[in-house]
Amino acid sequence: MAVNLQKGQRVTLDNSMKLALVGLGWQTNQYDGVEFDLDASAFLLGANGKCLKDEDFIFYNNLRSRNDAVVHQGDELQGGDGNSDDEQIIIDFTKIPSEIEKIAVCVSINDAEINHQNFGQVSSAYIRVAKLANEFDTVGEDQLRFDLAEEFSIETALVICEIYRHNGVWKFNAVAQGYQGGLATIVRNYGLHC
């Protein structure tokens, strides 16, 4: 049974989990006839909290990290119903380079400023982590779920969670930190250039 988390909670991931499916879902309302395009991304971070290489930023234009440790399953251009994953990221803990201490999972609204959109117009957003039995398992067994209940009325990008290594054990931190300025702000925050 999956553990339901609240903002700020931290839990240790099952130490037998070698492959994890990170599923993100949301529901969007149409405003002024403009569809929302939300994008999931992941940043592999070193001990300094920054990306060590450009390929440590995984998103719709770079679906695979080095070593295929983190693989984005593709960009969903339209939001769903909030009950099923809109985008998914697979993490293979056995392939994560030793200098990577943290994986930040984010969601941003594409062209949010142009379309006057923000996360206050997004509902039923969640992230879940499922333990995959093997590389052919596409569903997995849910381990945890974090529903974003907070109202983000001006933010256009969110760091949803951090999956981090502590004393050789992987843990999950329910962050839910909002940013203005879209994905570019988060990219710069993690030491990369747009």
Side-chain angles (χ1 to χ4, degrees):
M1 175 179 280
V3 174
N4 287 315
L5 301 177
Q6 294 181 3
K7 182 177 178 174
Q9 279 189 282
R10 298 172 188 248
V11 296
T12 301
L13 296 176
D14 181 342
N15 64 2
S16 69
M17 182 166 35
K18 304 301 180 213
L19 286 171
L21 181 148
V22 177
L24 300 108
W26 49 76
Q27 183 175 1
T28 58
N29 299 316
Q30 192 168 334
Y31 291 85
D32 297 327
V34 179
E35 292 286 336
F36 278 72
D37 178 14
L38 275 68
D39 298 311
S41 55
F43 295 83
L44 279 65
L45 309 172
N48 64 355
K50 306 291 184 191
C51 288
L52 304 176
K53 301 182 178 196
D54 288 345
E55 57 263 41
D56 291 340
F57 170 33
I58 297 86
F59 67 118
Y60 54 84
N61 277 337
N62 178 39
L63 296 177
R64 297 177 174 277
S65 72
R66 52 187 162 130
N67 304 340
D68 287 340
V70 177
V71 179
H72 195 301
Q73 300 300 294
D75 185 20
E76 169 59 46
L77 297 176
Q78 296 180 353
D81 57 10
N83 295 318
S84 59
D85 298 342
D86 291 298
E87 294 192 13
Q88 296 179 331
I89 296 170
I90 306 293
I91 300 173
D92 186 337
F93 291 105
T94 68
K95 294 181 178 178
I96 295 176
S98 60
E99 68 270 19
I100 299 301
E101 296 290 325
K102 187 184 297 182
I103 302 166
V105 179
C106 308
V107 176
S108 56
I109 303 172
N110 191 36
D111 291 333
E113 288 80 12
I114 295 168
N115 296 322
H116 306 289
Q117 297 169 333
N118 60 61
F119 274 98
Q121 300 162 319
V122 176
S123 60
S124 304
Y126 71 86
I127 186 169
R128 69 183 184 95
V129 175
K131 177 181 177 181
L132 298 178
N134 55 52
E135 63 201 76
F136 305 107
D137 185 358
T138 59
V139 179
E141 178 185 341
D142 280 354
Q143 302 293 301
L144 62 88
R145 181 180 171 109
F146 173 39
D147 292 299
L148 276 73
E150 192 171 337
E151 187 78 21
F152 294 97
S153 60
I154 58 172
E155 291 82 356
T156 56
L158 301 174
V159 175
I160 305 287
C161 75
E162 296 171 340
I163 297 171
Y164 65 100
R165 195 185 330 235
H166 180 72
N167 294 330
V169 176
W170 288 99
K171 299 183 176 239
F172 180 97
N173 179 16
V175 177
Q177 181 176 352
Y179 292 86
Q180 295 180 41
L183 182 58
T185 301
I186 296 177
V187 168
R188 286 190 297 272
N189 187 54
Y190 289 134
L192 298 175
H193 302 285
C194 306

